[in-house]
Amino acid sequence: MNKLQLKHRELKIISVIAASENISHAATVLGIAQANVSKYLADFESKVGLKVFDRTTRQLTLTPFGIALLPYINDMLDRNDQLNNFIADYKHEKRGKVTVYAPTGIIAYLSQHVIAKIMDIGDISLVLKTYNLDRKAFYEGVDFPDDCDILLSYAHPKDESLVASFITKYAVIAFASQEYLTKHPISSPDELVNHSCILIDSMMIDDANIWRFNSAEDKKMRDYRVTGNYICDNTQSALALARNHLGIVFAPNESVQRDCRSEMLVPCFSEQHEWWLDLVAIFRKREYQPWRVQYILDAMLAEIRQQLAQAIRQPE
């Protein structure tokens, strides 16, 4: 029995038709003429001697054979993509996927100020995903997601085989609106227990968050248990609630500067009570990662560091 010689293009067309359930839609996705799609399908079915699709006036549906065949086709396509990406990595081609994880505020910053500055990414697909830290990460280290290539984080990695490249330091401070502070004065972190604090869901322990502040006297870090009526899954939402006078928010100083300049929010304490965090880029060692990842990483860090340097040089 002669082996079937199946071409990658035929398999791709079958897969897209199955997803589209329509020859016309498949042709649009593939960027080829509808007549050519029909011909490829007919030639494939003639070659294997079995119908892959049942045809109606409006759509195509998979036959029982087609349903059983499709997983094999998609698996072969995936393996072909993996092979092409593997070869491209060694050839230093700009193709394949690079996945970046970061907290909500950092993802927003990257989207607004950094990504557009990375020129000529070729056929690289850049995926941005939100990854907010839980409380344990600050003490035990942050986990590196399985599909992650680059993780920007305020915590160092749990896995010591990963590289953590320092970017800058962030001061995390308590802020509130002037209207809230006028109604509910506060002078030190010890008084937070009597206030409505806006909590972050990923840092919940029972019904509270733990906020850390240095002591103005001895500079030692102390933990404070805080509670409140509002719980958010990201800092941006928490800041929005604080602007509406609903409580105290614990946020990186850099992310609140615009609010401070417009006097929407102000620091809660006259003395310097803050928690300093390192912002680091976490990634696999260079020899263990594709070239496309290193290309995006180097470009992204260069742009971030340039913007930080410009911000330092600018007068207040």
Side-chain angles (χ1 to χ4, degrees):
M1 181 178 177
N2 294 330
K3 289 185 177 180
L4 291 172
Q5 298 297 319
L6 302 178
K7 298 178 181 179
H8 176 268
R9 191 170 186 80
E10 293 175 328
L11 301 180
K12 181 68 175 179
I13 288 173
I14 297 297
S15 177
V16 173
I17 293 173
S20 304
E21 298 182 344
N22 183 285
I23 293 286
S24 177
H25 292 168
T28 301
V29 171
L30 293 163
I32 60 178
Q34 182 174 334
N36 290 341
V37 175
S38 298
K39 185 177 185 306
Y40 271 109
L41 174 58
D43 289 348
F44 181 86
E45 291 181 326
S46 176
K47 184 186 299 186
V48 301
L50 292 164
K51 290 292 185 183
V52 180
F53 295 96
D54 284 324
R55 293 157 175 79
T56 66
T57 55
R58 294 193 175 184
Q59 67 179 26
L60 303 179
T61 57
L62 288 165
T63 63
F65 167 69
I67 292 172
L69 175 67
L70 190 62
Y72 290 98
I73 289 179
N74 287 336
D75 183 61
M76 291 181 68
L77 293 173
D78 287 342
R79 288 177 179 274
N80 187 74
D81 288 343
Q82 291 171 15
L83 176 60
N84 286 332
N85 287 336
F86 172 78
I87 294 171
D89 291 340
Y90 274 83
K91 292 173 67 177
H92 284 203
E93 292 183 1
K94 294 175 183 175
R95 59 183 297 176
K97 184 168 66 175
V98 176
T99 303
V100 179
Y101 278 82
T104 306
I106 299 299
I107 284 289
Y109 167 75
L110 293 176
S111 302
Q112 185 173 358
H113 301 290
V114 176
I115 300 304
K117 302 293 180 65
I118 302 177
M119 307 302 294
D120 190 22
I121 67 172
D123 291 326
I124 294 174
S125 297
L126 188 54
V127 182
L128 302 178
K129 294 190 176 183
T130 301
Y131 188 46
N132 293 315
L133 299 179
D134 60 27
R135 177 176 173 269
K136 289 183 179 180
F138 296 108
Y139 305 95
E140 301 176 2
V142 63
D143 289 315
F144 196 76
D146 291 339
D147 65 336
C148 181
D149 293 306
I150 303 166
L151 170 61
L152 300 187
S153 175
Y154 297 119
H156 286 256
K158 185 181 296 185
D159 184 348
E160 295 181 356
S161 70
L162 296 169
V163 178
S165 178
F166 174 78
I167 300 174
T168 189
K169 282 187 174 291
Y170 271 89
V172 184
I173 301 173
F175 296 91
S177 69
Q178 189 60 63
E179 180 176 322
Y180 176 87
L181 293 177
T182 299
K183 294 179 179 178
H184 313 282
I186 184 171
S187 60
S188 76
D190 294 316
E191 299 172 21
L192 285 167
V193 66
N194 301 318
H195 285 262
S196 173
C197 296
I198 300 168
L199 311 180
I200 299 298
D201 182 59
S202 62
M203 300 183 72
M204 293 297 292
I205 299 176
D206 295 328
D207 60 347
N209 276 186
I210 304 297
W211 292 358
R212 305 190 80 192
F213 291 96
N214 68 311
S215 167
E217 294 80 23
D218 55 22
K219 301 301 181 183
K220 289 183 179 179
M221 300 303 299
R222 289 185 170 83
D223 290 348
Y224 298 87
R225 185 179 185 276
V226 301
T227 59
N229 298 104
Y230 303 99
I231 303 170
C232 300
D233 67 356
N234 64 81
T235 303
Q236 298 303 309
S237 298
L239 287 170
L241 293 177
R243 294 182 194 111
N244 282 296
H245 326 300
L246 295 177
I248 297 173
V249 66
F250 194 44
N253 187 43
E254 295 296 325
S255 65
V256 191
Q257 287 309 296
R258 181 178 296 179
D259 289 308
C260 289
R261 287 193 292 270
S262 64
E263 298 184 347
M264 291 288 291
L265 296 174
V266 297
C268 291
F269 310 121
S270 56
E271 294 184 336
Q272 199 171 24
H273 294 283
E274 56 198 6
W275 183 16
W276 281 94
L277 298 175
D278 290 345
L279 178 65
V280 295
I282 301 171
F283 48 91
R284 299 178 185 89
K285 292 180 180 178
R286 185 181 294 263
E287 59 266 31
Y288 298 143
Q289 68 179 358
W291 177 82
R292 65 180 181 273
V293 175
Q294 194 64 47
Y295 178 82
I296 294 296
L297 174 66
D298 289 346
M300 194 165 61
L301 291 184
E303 181 60 33
I304 293 171
R305 286 171 174 148
Q306 181 180 347
Q307 292 184 20
L308 288 170
Q310 289 175 346
I312 291 172
R313 290 194 296 268
Q314 289 176 353
E316 293 292 334

